[in-house]
Amino acid sequence: MGTIKLFDSIEKDDVKKMLTCFDAKKLHFKKEAMILSNLANNTQIGIIESGSATIIRYNYNGSRTIIEKLNVGDTFGAFSKTYTEELYVIAAEDSEVIFFNYSKLINRCKKNCEYHNKLVRNMLEVLSQKMQDYNERIEVLTKKTIRDKLLTYFNLLNKKQLTKVITLPFSLTDLADYLSIDRSAMMRELKNLKEEGLVDQKGKRIQLKY
């Protein structure tokens, strides 16, 4: 539980009590299984306890855009109101997810438990981080060229990972979907960046040389 931001500074025993109080349930999902649909109108909060998932939007022509990658400890659900279109949460690998109802979080329990107060404070921090992540995504997507999108995204990962050898959270196919660009065009631009000595790329590892 220590890796789950929502439970920061809450003792393990209190987390267990809280989840019981919240009528939380843990569900297992196979890779590529639908974890949640219609995310914007959902009343549940989901927490990735193991595995990973992606939030996906399908366009009218059937193509997809990856909105967000969810790793262990990440949350999704009722407070994901930033997007108005229908979104889906898909398991990227075999995963376990904890679910509980949003109303359980925002309505104070009769016992006025201290851990509930901490949980609300943690939720505000989680929301603040999500807004920062959304702003970063907008910064990337508003770049006009594929090159600028790639380099802007690489720079963001460089700041987060604090290394010139960054690791992509996606496969290259998923990266293209995340950046809303054609994969073939992206691969050509990556090749150009390598030939110009700006980056070196092997699988999901990108070495920044600028």
Side-chain angles (χ1 to χ4, degrees):
M1 296 294 185
T3 59
I4 297 177
K5 185 67 175 178
L6 204 58
F7 300 153
D8 271 4
S9 302
I10 301 176
E11 297 294 330
K12 288 184 178 180
D13 287 343
D14 287 337
V15 170
K16 292 178 181 178
K17 294 176 185 177
M18 179 178 60
L19 292 177
T20 299
C21 180
F22 285 2
D23 297 322
K25 56 184 178 181
K26 184 189 298 185
L27 299 178
H28 180 81
F29 297 89
K30 292 289 187 182
K31 181 179 180 181
E32 299 184 358
M34 176 83 70
I35 294 177
L36 199 65
S37 62
N38 200 11
L39 183 60
N41 294 316
N42 175 63
T43 60
Q44 299 243 336
I45 289 177
I47 304 171
I48 305 294
E49 186 175 47
S50 67
S52 61
T54 49
I55 299 179
I56 293 173
R57 179 186 68 217
Y58 289 100
N59 301 319
Y60 68 92
N61 60 0
S63 62
R64 69 171 190 166
T65 299
I66 293 178
I67 303 298
E68 185 179 353
K69 178 73 180 292
L70 301 169
N71 296 307
V72 171
D74 287 340
T75 58
F76 61 92
F79 46 69
S80 301
K81 303 296 185 182
T82 306
Y83 299 101
T84 56
E85 64 268 31
E86 187 166 359
L87 303 177
Y88 304 86
V89 183
I90 308 294
E93 58 186 306
D94 288 0
S95 305
E96 287 187 329
V97 182
I98 299 171
F99 286 102
F100 60 87
N101 199 284
Y102 181 63
S103 62
K104 296 284 187 177
L105 188 151
I106 60 175
N107 295 322
R108 302 189 49 126
C109 63
K110 295 178 181 178
K111 297 179 181 179
N112 194 27
C113 304
E114 175 58 26
Y115 61 70
H116 198 145
N117 296 330
K118 291 180 181 178
L119 186 71
V120 172
R121 290 196 294 269
N122 290 345
M123 182 192 70
L124 294 176
E125 292 184 16
V126 168
L127 289 174
S128 176
Q129 182 60 53
K130 281 189 174 290
M131 288 306 302
Q132 181 179 330
D133 292 341
Y134 293 152
N135 289 335
E136 289 176 352
R137 177 170 168 76
I138 290 171
E139 180 184 355
V140 173
L141 293 182
T142 51
K143 300 302 179 183
K144 293 184 178 181
T145 67
I146 293 176
R147 170 176 290 224
D148 285 345
K149 285 184 178 183
L150 286 170
L151 292 178
T152 301
Y153 184 61
F154 294 163
N155 287 336
L156 287 173
L157 290 182
N158 170 235
K159 291 177 182 178
K160 291 180 178 180
Q161 298 179 13
L162 301 176
T163 174
K164 284 283 189 178
V165 183
I166 59 176
T167 302
L168 299 175
F170 308 107
S171 66
L172 292 176
T173 297
D174 287 351
L175 176 63
D177 289 342
Y178 181 76
L179 298 177
S180 296
I181 54 182
D182 177 76
R183 186 185 187 281
S184 296
M186 183 190 76
M187 295 305 295
R188 286 196 297 271
E189 193 57 58
L190 271 176
K191 182 180 179 182
N192 291 337
L193 291 172
K194 289 167 66 176
E195 290 177 348
E196 294 171 25
L198 293 175
V199 303
D200 191 18
Q201 177 258 327
K202 181 177 291 186
K204 296 198 296 184
R205 292 173 64 84
I206 308 286
Q207 181 178 1
L208 306 181
K209 295 185 173 182
Y210 53 89

